């Protein structure tokens, strides 16, 4: 089957998809995470500065947690970048990235503009996730490429097309157009702390909206461009992954939620350290050896220039976890003890751990002490993965209220909307309520 034929099959599926009962609870949980994590990101000083510089016009779509509603496109872009700014957004190890973050902000902004039904909005969100994940499975990016803003744009386009009520052919054209709008971002932008890496997710929302609108106008075509853009140019592309077990396997049920504000590749090492933490005096640590799979073995920097680069430094994450017991959105970046311990962290690739991908993203940690003793721990996946100590709604709510101490009511509202949305006759007012109070009060 060609890329165009597979995309056509996806278009037909998306245009008629409804949310099956077996995934409704998981969709609600992912939606809660998106709402909450976006609000956490929106509360950061740099996000407040960005909103001020953007000067977005008033409109129908909420800036989640920011106390205002703006135009659809501005909300999609600004919520998208806020969602990923602290590395707390939901992800999927089989997609090799973040399907929800690629398209949920665009779908939600458009749903607020259209005042769509809850049934249609939920179906569009599910379509955005599943299509993005399938394109993520199909795409093997070249070494050095970052997944933000590449394969997931097709999911954003699919969700927006479903919300616009496009037919099978137009939906396929929207998906194909989204696949042709991929960003070629380098992974080093993350490790060196360049926020353009976050902007790629804002661009994914804008491109998804544009692709669906082009299809609605009759301008878009399905030519199988993903095989060229995501394949020939950016890596390789396995067309079969687009339709494998379509409508039977639901990738949204296989994702992970984050409890650490850091790249998911650092989480297993942090979890392994935290599992041992009660057994050692941090001051006595002389060395920490972290063994990881090949995907995470490059996050070796012992220095960081800002929070983004720190979140992509395994030495920072491991040292912070060992010394403070958490890796939070406000973990100190300039703690001399953390900096000193980070210089004693060594990260290496282990072939046996790489062989366990993608089902496991494992890590081994060995901690040496000044008396010559060592402690070791191995974890198969990060805590919060669907296959390893998955996080429940109470877990997410507790974390979000910790991260949003000044907005507990917003978290409660997000819980309510995440449950009620599929059954609402219209979603506009409910979504706009997630903007919260006046921005001057929230920030």
């Amino acid at each position: 089957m060609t890329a165009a034929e597979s995309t056509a099959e996806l278009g037909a599926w998306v245009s008629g998809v409804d949310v099956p009962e077996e995934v409704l609870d998981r969709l609600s949980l992912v939606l809660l995470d998106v709402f909450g994590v976006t609000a956490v990101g929106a509360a950061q000083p740099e996000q407040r500065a960005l909103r001020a510089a953007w000067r977005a016009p008033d409109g129908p779509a909420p800036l989640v947690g920011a106390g205002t509603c703006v135009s659809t496109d501005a909300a999609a872009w600004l919520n998208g970048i806020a969602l990923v700014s602290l590395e707390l957004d939901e992800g999927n190890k089989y997609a090799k990235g973040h399907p929800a973050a690629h398209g949920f902000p665009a779908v939600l902004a458009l749903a607020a503009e259209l005042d769509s039904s809850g049934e249609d909005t939920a179906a569009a969100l599910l379509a955005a996730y599943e299509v993005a994940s399938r394109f993520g499975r199909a795409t093997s990016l070249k070494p050095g490429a970052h997944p933000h803003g590449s394969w997931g744009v097709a999911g954003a386009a699919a969700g927006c097309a479903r919300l616009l009520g496009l037919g099978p052919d137009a939906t396929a054209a929207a998906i194909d157009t989204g696949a042709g709008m991929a960003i070629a971002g380098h992974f080093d932008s993350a490790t060196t702390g360049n926020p353009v890496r976050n902007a790629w997710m804002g661009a994914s929302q804008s491109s998804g909206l544009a692709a669906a609108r082009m299809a609605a106008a009759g301008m878009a075509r399905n030519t199988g461009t993903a095989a060229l853009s995501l394949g020939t140019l950016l890596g390789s592309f396995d067309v079969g992954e687009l339709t494998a077990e379509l409508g039977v396997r639901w990738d949204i049920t296989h994702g992970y939620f984050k409890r650490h504000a850091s790249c998911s590749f650092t989480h297993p090492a942090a979890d392994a350290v935290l599992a041992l933490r009660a057994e050692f005096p941090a001051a006595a640590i002389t060395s920490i050896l972290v063994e990881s799979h090949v995907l995470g073995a490059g996050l070796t920097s012992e220095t960081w220039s800002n929070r983004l680069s720190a979140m992509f430094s395994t030495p920072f994450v491991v040292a912070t976890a060992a010394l403070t017991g958490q890796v939070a959105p406000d973990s100190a970046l300039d703690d001399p003890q953390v900096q000193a311990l980070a210089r004693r962290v060594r990260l290496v690739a282990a072939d046996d751990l790489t062989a366990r991908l993608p089902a496991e993203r494992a890590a081994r940690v060995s901690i040496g002490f000044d008396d010559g003793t060592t402690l070791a721990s191995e974890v198969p996946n990060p805590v919060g993965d669907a296959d390893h100590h998955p996080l429940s709604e109470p877990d997410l709510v507790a974390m979000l209220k910790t991260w949003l101490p000044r907005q507990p009511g917003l978290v409660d509202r997000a819980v309510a909307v995440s449950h009620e949305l599929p059954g609402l006759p219209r979603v506009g007012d409910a979504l706009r309520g997630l903007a919260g109070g006046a921005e001057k009060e929230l920030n």
Side-chain angles (χ1 to χ4, degrees):
M1 189 177 289
T2 67
E5 291 169 337
S6 294
T7 303
E9 187 174 335
L10 267 184
W13 178 78
V14 167
S15 66
V17 71
D18 292 314
V19 181
E21 201 64 37
E22 63 263 31
V23 303
L24 193 57
D25 286 346
R26 185 67 179 191
L27 176 62
S28 171
L29 204 57
V30 173
L31 191 55
L32 169 61
D33 185 77
V34 167
F35 289 149
V37 171
T38 301
V40 178
Q44 303 307 302
E46 61 271 23
Q47 295 299 320
R48 296 199 299 270
L50 181 61
R51 293 193 295 273
W54 204 274
R55 296 191 293 177
D58 292 342
L63 291 179
V64 178
T68 189
C69 292
V70 298
S71 64
T72 301
D73 294 73
W77 207 99
L78 291 168
N79 285 332
I81 193 171
L83 172 58
V84 302
S85 62
L86 289 170
E87 269 297 295
L88 290 169
D89 49 305
E90 186 267 2
N92 190 293
K93 62 191 177 187
Y94 298 104
K96 307 180 287 288
H98 303 268
H102 270 97
F104 275 35
V107 171
L108 292 167
L110 184 59
E113 175 198 315
L114 300 174
D115 202 15
S116 302
S117 72
E119 183 179 11
D120 284 343
T121 304
L125 291 167
L126 183 63
Y129 193 104
E130 295 299 318
V131 171
S133 185
R134 288 173 176 277
F135 272 82
R137 284 177 178 263
T139 304
S140 296
L141 293 171
K142 291 180 180 178
H146 195 288
H148 275 18
S150 58
W151 47 257
V153 181
C160 292
R162 176 65 175 81
L163 207 55
L164 290 173
L166 303 187
D169 291 344
T171 299
I175 293 170
D176 194 62
T177 300
M181 299 171 80
I183 286 174
H186 201 286
F187 208 100
D188 282 2
S189 294
T191 58
T192 58
N194 189 331
V196 69
R197 173 261 181 193
N198 299 335
W200 299 332
M201 281 304 206
S204 181
Q205 319 310 320
S206 296
S207 294
L209 284 164
R213 289 165 176 160
M214 288 176 66
M219 291 178 62
R221 296 178 61 203
N222 171 23
T223 63
T225 196
L228 302 174
S229 58
L230 297 171
T232 303
L233 290 179
L234 294 182
S236 60
F237 195 75
D238 182 356
V239 172
E241 290 288 0
L242 295 186
T243 55
E245 300 180 271
L246 185 60
V248 177
R249 184 194 73 220
W250 299 98
D251 278 359
I252 197 170
T253 65
H254 299 291
Y256 57 82
F257 297 110
K258 291 184 170 186
R259 63 172 183 160
H260 307 307
S262 63
C263 173
S264 65
F265 296 157
T266 71
H267 285 215
D271 291 337
V273 168
L274 291 175
L276 297 172
R277 191 167 182 266
E279 302 179 36
F280 63 75
I285 297 175
T286 57
S287 65
I288 301 178
L289 172 64
V290 177
E291 295 176 85
S292 176
H293 50 78
V294 68
L295 297 178
L299 306 183
T300 58
S301 180
E302 298 174 1
T303 60
W304 45 91
S305 58
N306 61 3
R307 188 162 302 279
L308 177 58
S309 58
M311 293 188 298
F312 281 82
S313 161
T314 295
F316 167 81
V317 171
V318 167
T320 299
L323 292 171
T324 71
Q326 62 177 347
V327 186
D330 59 353
S331 289
L333 302 181
D334 56 357
D335 185 330
Q337 291 182 300
V338 170
Q339 293 170 336
L341 182 55
R343 291 192 291 271
R344 299 196 290 274
V345 175
R346 186 163 67 97
L347 174 64
V348 299
D351 291 343
D352 64 314
L353 301 185
T354 297
R356 287 151 65 175
L357 293 170
E360 292 188 6
R361 287 186 170 183
R364 277 192 297 268
V365 170
S366 300
I367 306 176
F369 300 93
D370 54 14
D371 62 359
T373 61
T374 61
L375 287 173
S377 177
E378 179 178 321
V379 297
N381 273 303
V383 170
D385 188 278
D387 298 325
H388 184 66
H389 301 298
L391 299 181
S392 65
E393 182 177 291
D395 294 327
L396 287 182
V397 170
M399 289 191 303
L400 290 171
K401 287 192 173 183
T402 298
W403 297 332
L404 289 166
R406 299 179 62 187
Q407 301 186 62
L410 181 61
V411 177
D412 293 336
R413 197 174 309 144
V415 172
V417 174
S418 69
H419 283 289
E420 296 167 1
L421 182 140
L424 293 175
R426 298 293 173 195
V427 301
D429 287 342
L431 292 176
R432 285 185 283 274
L434 293 170
E439 187 166 347
K440 63 184 180 184
E441 296 173 0
L442 297 178
N443 300 317

